[in-house]
Amino acid sequence: MAFPPVTVVSGRAIPLLADNIDTDVIIRIERLTDVPRADLGRHVFEALRYDGNGKAVDDHVLNDPHLANAPILLAGRNFGCGSSREGAVWALQARGIRAVIAESFGSIFVANCFQNGLLPIALERAEIASLSDVAQRGPEASLEIELAAQRINGPDGLDIAFDINPLRRQCLLDGITDVELTARFSDQIASVKAQDRSARPWLYRATAAPDG
């Protein structure tokens, strides 16, 4: 198992609704060279959380102590655009983020999410606004994401459905990557290869006999 299975994600949500937040904003590249993966969480979004003098921006949502352990991040369009660094996903996970809900994602970022057990959900802007309203109500206002049912539930009967690729969903539920998924079909792959070798032996290079 590559990562813990993703089944239900529940708790507070951080409403960071800006568009085009790229991977360099999520985690600076130099942090990936000198900070252990488990410690990346304290550096996530530092360009937003601190001013030019390195002082924490007190009124920024990312510095709200009530949201320090929130497992859900709400974002705008094109979240995770920019470079292909997998460390952006690692940093979010080190912060405790288990699901990101955005209007759209950078394609490589979302692929990295699925390979590391971070749940990316794309919703319409109006639906994200509804979730943001819940997020800003206070400590008692939490959300629950049920991956198997593909539903997001919240206070006052809030119930939002979301789409996800069925194969990607199953890999998250099982806690496996593409490599481990492929390994599950090793017998079938070997069988097809053997059949093809028999039918078209000229395509396969003969194995040389060992010396002696």
Side-chain angles (χ1 to χ4, degrees), residues 6-9 71 73 89 93 97-101 105 110 113-114 116-121 145-147 162-164 168-169 172:
V6 180
T7 54
V8 176
V9 179
L73 179 69
V89 174
Q93 291 177 308
I97 301 296
R98 298 180 61 207
V100 180
I101 303 173
F105 295 92
V110 80
C113 285
F114 285 120
N116 287 277
L118 181 65
L119 173 59
I121 298 173
I145 303 171
E146 298 183 55
L147 179 55
F162 62 90
D163 292 325
I164 187 170
R168 293 298 194 189
R169 178 185 66 176
L172 288 175

Side-chain angles (χ1 to χ4, degrees), residues 145-208:
I145 303 171
E146 298 183 55
L147 179 55
Q150 297 179 211
R151 315 291 301 191
I152 303 172
N153 302 306
D156 304 323
L158 179 69
D159 184 3
I160 297 175
F162 62 90
D163 292 325
I164 187 170
N165 177 281
L167 185 58
R168 293 298 194 189
R169 178 185 66 176
Q170 193 59 51
C171 285
L172 288 175
L173 289 169
D174 292 344
I176 61 173
T177 66
D178 287 350
V179 173
E180 291 165 310
L181 176 64
T182 301
R184 290 185 172 184
F185 298 93
S186 58
D187 290 345
Q188 294 94 318
I189 293 169
S191 177
V192 170
K193 184 176 179 180
Q195 292 174 29
D196 189 59
R197 182 186 291 273
S198 177
R200 303 185 298 172
W202 60 88
L203 293 179
Y204 294 82
R205 183 178 180 181
T207 303

Side-chain angles (χ1 to χ4, degrees), residues 20-79:
N20 302 312
I21 294 179
D22 64 32
T23 53
D24 194 55
V25 172
I26 296 173
I27 189 72
R28 286 163 42 187
I29 188 63
E30 64 267 27
R31 299 303 186 194
L32 299 177
T33 65
D34 59 8
V35 178
R37 178 172 172 175
D39 295 334
L40 289 173
R42 58 193 175 95
H43 298 290
V44 72
F45 295 122
E46 61 187 298
L48 303 178
R49 294 165 49 217
Y50 301 97
D51 62 21
N53 297 316
K55 182 178 182 299
V57 180
D58 292 334
D59 59 351
H60 199 287
V61 66
L62 291 167
N63 291 329
D64 185 341
H66 299 295
L67 297 175
N69 298 312
I72 302 169
L73 179 69
L74 307 178
R77 289 191 299 265
N78 204 26
F79 184 83

